[in-house]
Amino acid sequence: MSEYDVEGVVRSVIVEAMGLAPEKYTEDLSFSADLGLDSLDLLDVFFRIECCVPLIITVERCGRYLQGEVPDAEFCDENGVISRRGLERLHVVMPQLDPEIWAGRLTLDRMLDRLTVGNLVAMVEHMLGKGRPVHA
């Protein structure tokens, strides 16, 4: 069990890094659409979190968390379109993604665009062993 207030750490990092008014912060904010972050900005957010908790967040580790036990060959096709099985796994860790809506449409390069602050909090808690319940 982690002794870190992961939600508080992520909140302060997002508010500080984005210059966001604290009252505008919610866990439903998406990194891309709501906060305008690109992949480099997300790496900066990861780095800032790493400075607050004993954790190294790499893109690979993020991918392993998101992909879970689904093998690469079953997660997406050769064009990077995430499979039904991949979408079902993503729905577990990113409950806002409806597999019915995204079937045949969500690609690997757009997957992180759908990541929310709440998803990041859950991922960091999982990586620290705190284990926020995963949505089913």
Side-chain angles (χ1 to χ4, degrees):
M1 189 68 85
S2 169
E3 71 274 12
Y4 297 93
D5 173 13
V6 174
E7 187 176 352
V9 167
V10 171
R11 180 185 321 105
S12 65
V13 163
I14 297 298
V15 166
E16 180 183 313
M18 300 309 302
L20 187 69
E23 64 274 6
K24 299 278 188 191
Y25 173 89
T26 72
E27 286 196 5
D28 293 332
L29 293 172
S30 77
F31 285 103
S32 182
D34 298 322
L35 297 173
L37 272 72
D38 61 22
S39 56
L40 288 177
D41 295 321
L42 191 55
L43 291 175
D44 179 52
V45 167
F46 289 174
F47 175 75
R48 290 171 186 247
I49 292 169
E50 292 171 352
C51 290
C52 299
V53 299
L55 181 65
I56 296 176
I57 309 170
T58 63
V59 172
E60 293 79 19
R61 194 167 184 198
C62 226
R64 281 194 310 270
Y65 169 77
L66 295 172
Q67 189 170 330
E69 298 297 321
V70 180
D72 290 348
E74 295 176 28
F75 191 77
C76 66
D77 66 18
E78 64 279 352
N79 297 315
V81 177
I82 299 172
S83 69
R84 177 74 181 169
R85 184 166 181 213
L87 287 170
E88 288 169 359
R89 165 56 192 174
L90 286 175
H91 184 66
V92 171
V93 294
M94 298 172 72
Q96 73 276 14
L97 288 182
D98 183 341
E100 297 300 322
I101 292 172
W102 288 102
R105 297 181 40 222
L106 187 61
T107 58
L108 287 173
D109 61 337
R110 304 307 304 177
M111 182 174 63
L112 289 181
D113 290 350
R114 305 292 166 213
L115 191 71
T116 66
V117 172
N119 300 146
L120 178 61
V121 170
M123 181 178 70
V124 171
E125 287 178 342
H126 174 82
M127 290 178 178
L128 284 171
K130 191 169 183 177
R132 176 186 272 204
V134 176
H135 303 86

